[in-house]
Amino acid sequence: MSIPNVFAALVDDAAIFPPGSLPLPEAVIAHAAHRNSRVQALVGPFVLGAGALAAAAQLATPELFPEPLPVSVVVPTPDAVAETIEAADGLRVAVRALEVKLDRSQPLTPQVTAIANHDRRGITTYVEVPRPSHPEWPEVLAAVAANGLRLKFRTGGTQADAFPDDTELATWIGDAARSSTPFKCTAGLHNALRHTDATTGFEHHGFLNVLCAASAALDNAGNNSLATILAERDAAVLTETLGDTARTTPRTLFISYGSCSIDEPYEDLAALGLLDR
């Protein structure tokens, strides 16, 4: 079975981050295996912190990776953007994206402007933004959109309050669509469908829900409709909403999401009958 175009490079490999927390050497080896397996078309870049660049580059030998290791680098602050890019120079990595955190103790909008003013050498740059209830959200969104940056939404974590509810995520997605600003998600989206985790009791969004909501948002669906899609737990409803998985149009809004598991998304797609035979 193969990966339909609509899911191509959907899952960024965040194996070293919680809850997976795989040691870096094991994660790099596993990433190489993913890139030579049945899941290869599903896999995006390897996600790592800026401080792990040199170590990852040493581990990514030519035997494992004939080409430089493709990475998406989590940058701890806007001030660290330039040094992170410089740190990658000469290493056996290919920086596909930057994922920049904001200092929540300081005004946020000027930090977005600072990110945009760095020489990022054309590297795709995501800004991890606050929830829509944050007073600066409209200004942050406007600054991200105006400067050709992208949005990063945190959709889960190790605590219940790390998960935005349907209304919050719908607002994020709707605002992203209306501002023509692509986004990625991080955390909590291991599975295709919305569900309640049996162990933690946390409400997890499904990556298929987010994909369908993003498509609806591009068709000018309102936030209430998006929230309904995000809350849907019926696979049949979502697969019908998704439509033709063979379409070749690239995803222009929901670009990818970071996951510490690659096999789980693949297995969910297979179980739902969404893989090509």
Side-chain angles (χ1 to χ4, degrees):
M1 292 187 288
S2 61
I3 310 295
N5 291 319
V6 70
F7 303 120
L10 178 63
V11 188
D12 296 339
D13 188 352
I16 65 173
F17 293 90
S21 302
L22 202 64
L24 184 63
E26 293 179 33
V28 170
I29 292 171
H31 186 73
H34 289 320
R35 289 194 168 274
N36 290 283
S37 74
R38 62 182 185 175
V39 303
Q40 61 181 304
L42 187 64
V43 183
F46 185 74
V47 185
L48 76 173
L53 271 169
Q58 284 188 320
L59 293 164
T61 62
E63 291 74 23
L64 285 176
F65 298 92
E67 301 294 329
L69 173 66
V71 296
S72 185
V73 187
V74 178
V75 183
T77 66
D79 291 340
V81 168
E83 65 186 69
T84 297
I85 295 172
E86 290 169 5
D89 284 345
L91 298 179
R92 204 166 183 280
V93 297
V95 181
R96 302 296 187 210
L98 303 173
E99 305 179 22
V100 189
K101 295 184 176 183
L102 301 178
D103 181 351
R104 301 302 172 89
S105 69
Q106 302 293 326
L108 304 182
T109 309
Q111 296 180 60
V112 177
T113 303
I115 294 168
N117 287 338
H118 283 295
D119 178 8
R120 292 171 286 111
R121 305 184 190 178
I123 299 171
T124 298
T125 303
Y126 293 86
V127 179
E128 186 171 329
V129 295
R131 291 189 177 183
S133 58
H134 192 286
E136 278 192 81
W137 165 242
E139 290 76 20
V140 168
L141 172 65
V144 169
N147 286 290
L149 303 172
R150 294 183 175 187
L151 301 160
K152 178 180 177 181
F153 302 147
R154 184 161 292 278
T155 46
T158 57
Q159 302 292 328
D161 61 4
F163 293 77
D165 63 24
D166 302 333
T167 300
E168 290 176 300
L169 186 50
T171 301
W172 262 339
I173 293 172
D175 287 352
R178 285 184 285 274
S179 63
S180 300
T181 309
F183 70 88
K184 73 169 294 184
C185 296
T186 186
L189 293 180
H190 298 166
N191 296 105
L193 302 178
R194 171 66 178 265
H195 66 282
T196 305
D197 186 275
T199 302
T200 64
F202 297 164
E203 286 291 307
H204 284 251
H205 295 288
F207 67 81
L208 189 58
N209 297 74
V210 176
L211 187 61
C212 289
S215 179
L218 289 173
D219 287 335
N220 299 312
N223 287 3
N224 289 340
S225 295
L226 301 183
T228 298
I229 294 171
L230 293 170
E232 183 59 63
R233 295 169 186 258
D234 188 327
V237 172
L238 287 174
T239 53
E240 182 179 354
T241 302
L242 181 65
D244 181 13
T245 59
R247 62 182 184 273
T248 57
T249 303
R251 295 185 306 278
T252 57
L253 188 62
F254 177 32
I255 304 302
S256 66
Y257 71 95
S259 172
C260 63
S261 171
I262 305 296
D263 290 329
E264 281 183 271
Y266 180 91
E267 289 163 2
D268 274 13
L269 292 174
L272 293 169
L274 293 175
L275 299 181
D276 291 333
R277 295 184 180 276

